[in-house]
Amino acid sequence: MIEVVRPGPLATVQDLGRPGRAHLGVPRSGAADQRAFRLANRLVGNPEGAAGVEVTFGGAALRFHVRAWISVTGAPVTLRIDGRPHGMNAPCSVSSGAVVELDTPASGLRSYVAVRGGIAVDEVLGSRSTDLLSGLGPAPLAPGDRLPIGSAAGLRHINVDVVPVAAMPETPILQILPGPRDDWFAHDALATLTSTPYEVTPDSNRVGVRLNGPPLVRARDGELGSEGMVIGSLQVPPSGLPIIFLADHPTTGGYPVVAVLASAAVAEAAQLRPGQKLRFRV
Amino acid sequence: MKVRRVGDTALLVETGDLATAHRMNAALRNVPLPGVVDVVPGERTVLVVADHSADLNRLAALLPRLPLADDTVSDAEPLEIPVVYDGEDLDEVASLTGLTRAEVVRRHSAGSYTVAYLGFSPGFGYLSGLDPALHVARRASPRKAVPAGSVAVAGPYAAVYPSRSPGGWRLLGRSRLPLWDVSRDPPSLLRPGTRVRFVPEERS
């Protein structure tokens, strides 16, 4: 069992979410940076979808009441186990009673703690993910919460010492694919989007990354009928400032999507922090 | 039918109208295509989300040629939703529409509705078929918490709040029928294309 001593600004239980129910209004949810999340699980021999903890902007402390294997990936933090520093992107043994602490990350936003056996809170609609938009799944972690650990029976052996991970770029360049509604915007909208940096605003969250920068100008008036939305969509509300949809995005929406991130860029978008600049390229 | 690219994993099919969107949704659910993970009807579209195993070019060529059933009107009886018409906004809707309270209730419960699509929150169905005389704008300032089961209207749509949430729709009444229950599979009684009727019920 794991006891939450401090969750930091926001910590939630996540797995790979609830795909396949968008037609019922259920967001996919799940770990925002799935690349880092899957790696964390592989390092401790878990299936990639085992539940772990998504720690937003560090500052978390977890006390382990049993001996366990863990790994920490994602936004680079100083990781301490009972006060002693440990490397990220590597399996670490935690003795019973030890406290695992994550400091504030030097870059990036979301770090992942996987524990061998996974976190065994109850599933809601086939997933243990906290969905901040719809309120499905467990509440965000609070001091004193107790998280059960699942069985490690039948898991693969831990056979990797450490995985080298590239540093997070100061100004990421995110690849986009135009459409599906780029024709709702002025002909130079994509040029505007790709020629100047945008800045991440503080009201960003797991639903979306809100951006400041040159607004995109509409080429046509009127209302778009509500349509299905995917993760990585750049939805443009009447302000003209795009929102990049993340894991807890609404399943349908009525504002036009000018472009969609390439799948590989979604993990990078999930690590953007308020005040950071980014660029788009087609 | 025009098929638009949505990033590198999804396609948006423009069906032109809601009925065709529902026919395509039904076709894709009855005979699922390999690699397709989500099918999401909208007002005039169907979003088809695939995993990385799917060939999007092939899918884009296939979708417009998909055989659709002629008729989507199902033989199933419409879902009957009992309503106690004592909503907080009933008087306001009456004054906005120039109708009496009783006439608002009569017109709302006389309608035959279809779930156009879901969104906003899990299980929140946008019901098309609302009497045009009852089309009213949303409240200028949304309520922070609308109770689960609230029966509401806004613009051309009617809806029932499936769970407690913020909301700006005008409340006409409440229903005791649990439309959304996470312990059920599927959790929602409303699905795209489900037909719905509201049945007035005495105050309880």
Side-chain angles (χ1 to χ4, degrees), chain A residues 31-41 43 53-58 71-79 87-90 102-114 163-169 267-268 270-273:
Chain A
D33 176 351
Q34 294 214 347
R35 188 167 57 195
F37 177 80
R38 289 170 190 264
L39 172 63
N41 272 325
L43 283 165
V53 179
E54 180 177 283
V55 176
T56 310
F57 219 56
S71 69
V72 179
T73 62
V77 292
T78 300
L79 166 66
M88 290 183 63
N89 306 306
L102 281 68
D103 287 353
T104 303
S107 60
L109 185 63
R110 297 184 167 95
S111 309
Y112 292 91
V113 182
V163 170
V165 170
M168 294 194 178
E268 288 178 85
Q271 293 295 354
L272 291 166
R273 48 209 268 170

Side-chain angles (χ1 to χ4, degrees), chain A residues 196-239:
Chain A
T196 25
Y198 281 79
E199 185 176 311
V200 177
T201 72
D203 51 353
S204 301
N205 53 26
R206 283 177 43 85
V207 176
V209 180
R210 288 170 185 269
L211 302 175
N212 248 332
L216 304 182
V217 178
R218 279 260 198 112
R220 50 185 288 186
D221 296 325
E223 299 267 315
L224 179 70
S226 249
E227 57 193 28
M229 294 281 146
V230 299
I231 194 164
S233 290
L234 270 65
Q235 198 197 46
V236 185
S239 69

